[in-house]
Amino acid sequence: MNNSVSSTVRLIGAGLRALLVLTVICGVIYPLAVTGIAQALFHDKANGSEIKDKSGQVVGSSLIGQSYNLPKKDPNDAEEAARPDLKWFQPRPSNGLGSNSVNTQYSLILSGATNRSADNGAVGGQCTKAAEEGTLCAQVVAAKEAVIADNSTAGYTVKPEDVPADAVTSSGSGLDPDISPEYAKLQAHRVAEQNKLDVKQVEKLVADHTTSRTLGFMGEPRVNVLELNIALKALTKS
């Protein structure tokens, strides 16, 4: 009996010592080591890839897209459609993400895709104006019409075939911070007109903020919209 109790006490003691050691190693030493390495070698990424303006104020993250809309006419009207502020470069659409209906006390940005097939709402295999309202095709057609209308200026008309896919479709997360160089260039005339700038100045701004494929072959060329708009703001004030 005494041997049994003694063995049990030893096992409990060994278990408690193991718990203490593993708690210190896994719960204190390891997190501190990983945090220290991340801060030392990847300080920017470890802190959320923050983007700062010229004054040093954090204005966003290079990993999360932002909207550039005009203020609502009625801030209390949840149904009022957002109106893009045309003096800024616009990001990809974020249709289909839904809204926070669980706790309406908080205004949350929901991330996710529409999970609809590419031919959702297609008529005869094509997305046309005859697409049923609320379908992906109807959203794409409406977005394309808006892109053409918003970006056509007195001296520049956007052709339907010039509208790139990322101008009318959301990304898998709906929070993509980048657009294609083609979409950025398409917006250059409108941005120049709205800000009373020369088109070539704006096109140079786009070229300067175009990132090539990673390692020369991974992904696609891209333009970070937030970084581009920060540079645009600086240009308009210079």
Side-chain angles (χ1 to χ4, degrees):
M1 182 69 179
N2 290 334
N3 289 336
S4 177
V5 172
S6 178
S7 298
T8 301
V9 171
R10 283 199 303 272
L11 288 174
I12 293 175
L16 290 175
R17 288 194 297 272
L19 174 63
L20 178 61
V21 171
L22 290 174
T23 298
V24 172
I25 293 174
C26 299
V28 179
I29 297 176
Y30 176 73
L32 287 177
V34 171
T35 301
I37 293 171
Q39 289 294 332
L41 301 180
F42 313 102
H43 180 76
D44 178 60
K45 292 181 174 61
N47 289 289
S49 299
E50 296 173 340
I51 295 180
K52 299 179 180 179
D53 59 16
K54 282 193 170 182
S55 67
Q57 180 180 357
V58 176
V59 293
S61 168
S62 63
L63 304 177
I64 301 176
Q66 297 186 18
S67 59
Y68 301 86
N69 297 325
L70 294 168
K72 281 189 173 184
K73 294 179 180 178
D74 181 3
N76 298 318
D77 184 3
E79 300 299 322
E80 182 182 337
R83 296 170 298 139
D85 190 342
L86 298 181
K87 71 179 182 181
W88 302 110
F89 284 93
Q90 294 296 315
R92 296 182 66 166
S94 55
N95 294 335
L97 298 188
S99 59
N100 171 36
S101 58
V102 178
N103 189 339
T104 55
Q105 180 181 356
Y106 299 97
S107 178
L108 302 179
I109 298 176
L110 304 185
S111 173
T114 61
N115 291 331
R116 292 172 176 156
S117 63
D119 61 351
N120 176 246
V123 178
Q126 294 185 332
C127 286
T128 67
K129 291 183 179 180
E132 183 181 349
E133 185 178 354
T135 61
L136 182 61
C137 276
Q139 292 177 359
V140 168
V141 170
K144 191 170 188 176
E145 290 177 347
V147 168
I148 293 172
D150 288 345
N151 292 284
S152 293
T153 64
Y156 175 75
T157 301
V158 177
K159 300 176 182 177
E161 59 269 25
D162 293 336
V163 179
D166 63 304
V168 297
T169 56
S170 61
S171 64
S173 68
L175 303 175
D176 193 341
D178 303 321
I179 57 176
S180 65
E182 292 74 22
Y183 187 27
K185 291 173 185 175
L186 182 145
Q187 300 183 62
H189 288 77
R190 181 254 300 161
V191 169
E193 182 180 76
Q194 291 284 325
N195 291 282
K196 297 180 173 55
L197 296 170
D198 186 84
V199 175
K200 291 191 179 299
Q201 284 182 292
V202 180
E203 289 179 337
K204 183 179 185 303
L205 209 62
V206 171
D208 290 344
H209 287 80
T210 298
T211 303
S212 301
R213 291 179 173 89
T214 304
L215 300 178
F217 67 94
M218 294 172 60
E220 295 293 332
R222 58 200 180 276
V223 180
N224 187 283
V225 182
L226 177 56
E227 293 176 351
L228 182 60
N229 279 331
I230 291 174
L232 173 63
K233 183 178 181 180
L235 181 62
T236 58
K237 290 186 176 181
S238 61

